[in-house]
């Protein structure tokens, strides 16, 4: 069976885009781990040489990291000065831990999924499942970093007041137990 050339080309172009996104995800996690966006946000626009001095990383690798992040639109590049920078949106997404749009935690979650691949493949074969406690630790750290800003921004201001009578009970000193979100029921 032969594929129609035009639709096959569209399909392979979509896959190429997905592959680029996967590589970019790994580079976001690496940049987060090394503090590259935070150093760029705190110190202002920088060449790869200047960022290497700020972060004690090798310039050659930072040059490649910068180029890939600029191609993805995650950092900006000024051709006249040769400097990379973050705009306000990029700064909130990649360098401001606690902002409602801070994304590196989600990229950590993606990484954990790849590290859990063998466990998940085994679950497909055996039907045994994968317990929450069996996942790669990056899942927990990433989920906490990704969801914490939303909880901090909305729990007291929006979610508790939306529960009928709960805010008044809490203000009167009600005691509450947080039992989680179904640990153990996912296996």
């Amino acid at each position: 069976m032969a594929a129609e050339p035009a639709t096959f080309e569209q399909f392979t172009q979509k896959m190429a885009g997905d592959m680029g996104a996967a590589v970019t995800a790994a580079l976001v996690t690496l940049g987060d781990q090394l503090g590259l966006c935070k150093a760029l946000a705190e110190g202002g626009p920088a060449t790869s040489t200047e960022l290497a001095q700020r972060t004690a990383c090798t310039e050659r690798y930072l040059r490649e990291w910068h180029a890939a992040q600029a191609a993805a639109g995650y950092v900006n590049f000024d051709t006249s000065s040769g400097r990379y920078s973050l705009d306000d949106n990029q700064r909130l997404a990649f360098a401001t831990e606690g902002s409602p749009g801070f994304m590196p935690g989600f990229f950590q979650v993606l990484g954990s999924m790849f590290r859990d691949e063998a466990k998940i493949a085994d679950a497909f074969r055996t039907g045994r499942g994968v317990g929450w406690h069996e996942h790669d630790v990056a899942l927990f750290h990433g989920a906490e970093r990704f969801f914490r800003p939303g909880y901090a921004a909305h729990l007291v201001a929006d979610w508790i007041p939306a529960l009928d009578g709960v805010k008044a009970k809490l203000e009167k000193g009600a005691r509450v137990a947080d039992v989680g979100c179904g640990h153990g029921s996912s296996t």
Side-chain angles (χ1 to χ4, degrees), residues 163-179:
L163 299 170
D164 190 33
V166 171
K167 182 178 182 214
K169 288 178 185 176
L170 290 172
E171 288 171 342
K172 289 181 181 178
R175 297 178 74 183
V176 178
D178 179 1
V179 246

Side-chain angles (χ1 to χ4, degrees), residues 102-180:
F102 186 68
M103 292 294 154
F106 183 77
F107 287 94
Q108 282 181 278
V109 170
L110 292 175
S112 76
M113 296 170 84
F114 284 100
R115 288 188 290 280
D116 284 340
E117 184 178 359
K119 294 173 191 173
I120 295 168
D122 183 63
F124 268 71
R125 288 186 197 99
T126 65
R128 181 186 71 77
V130 179
W132 184 248
H133 65 286
E134 296 176 283
H135 286 281
D136 184 84
V137 70
L139 173 69
F140 311 114
H141 293 289
E144 189 272 335
R145 290 176 78 206
F146 181 69
F147 289 110
R148 179 180 3 113
Y151 294 156
H154 299 289
L155 181 63
V156 173
D158 302 317
W159 299 339
I160 290 175
L163 299 170
D164 190 33
V166 171
K167 182 178 182 214
K169 288 178 185 176
L170 290 172
E171 288 171 342
K172 289 181 181 178
R175 297 178 74 183
V176 178
D178 179 1
V179 246

Side-chain angles (χ1 to χ4, degrees), residues 47-128:
T47 64
S48 54
T49 300
E50 292 165 341
L51 191 61
Q53 292 168 346
R54 292 181 199 169
T55 62
C57 291
T58 304
E59 184 278 334
R60 170 72 172 86
Y61 291 107
L62 288 179
R63 188 176 350 129
E64 296 297 332
W65 179 85
H66 266 136
Q69 296 299 285
Y74 290 174
V75 301
N76 300 315
F77 179 67
D78 179 9
T79 55
S80 63
S81 69
R83 285 190 162 79
Y84 296 88
S85 64
L86 300 175
D87 62 32
D88 290 341
N89 295 323
Q90 295 159 336
R91 190 175 298 106
L92 285 171
F94 299 114
T96 309
E97 189 119 15
S99 84
F102 186 68
M103 292 294 154
F106 183 77
F107 287 94
Q108 282 181 278
V109 170
L110 292 175
S112 76
M113 296 170 84
F114 284 100
R115 288 188 290 280
D116 284 340
E117 184 178 359
K119 294 173 191 173
I120 295 168
D122 183 63
F124 268 71
R125 288 186 197 99
T126 65
R128 181 186 71 77

Side-chain angles (χ1 to χ4, degrees), residues 7-68:
T7 59
F8 185 69
E9 184 176 340
Q10 285 178 324
F11 180 67
T12 57
Q13 287 177 355
K14 182 213 178 306
M15 288 191 333
D18 291 347
M19 289 184 278
V23 170
T24 300
L27 292 174
V28 167
T29 302
L30 182 64
D32 178 53
Q33 179 183 352
L34 297 172
L36 302 181
C37 281
K38 288 181 181 177
L40 198 55
E42 291 167 5
T47 64
S48 54
T49 300
E50 292 165 341
L51 191 61
Q53 292 168 346
R54 292 181 199 169
T55 62
C57 291
T58 304
E59 184 278 334
R60 170 72 172 86
Y61 291 107
L62 288 179
R63 188 176 350 129
E64 296 297 332
W65 179 85
H66 266 136

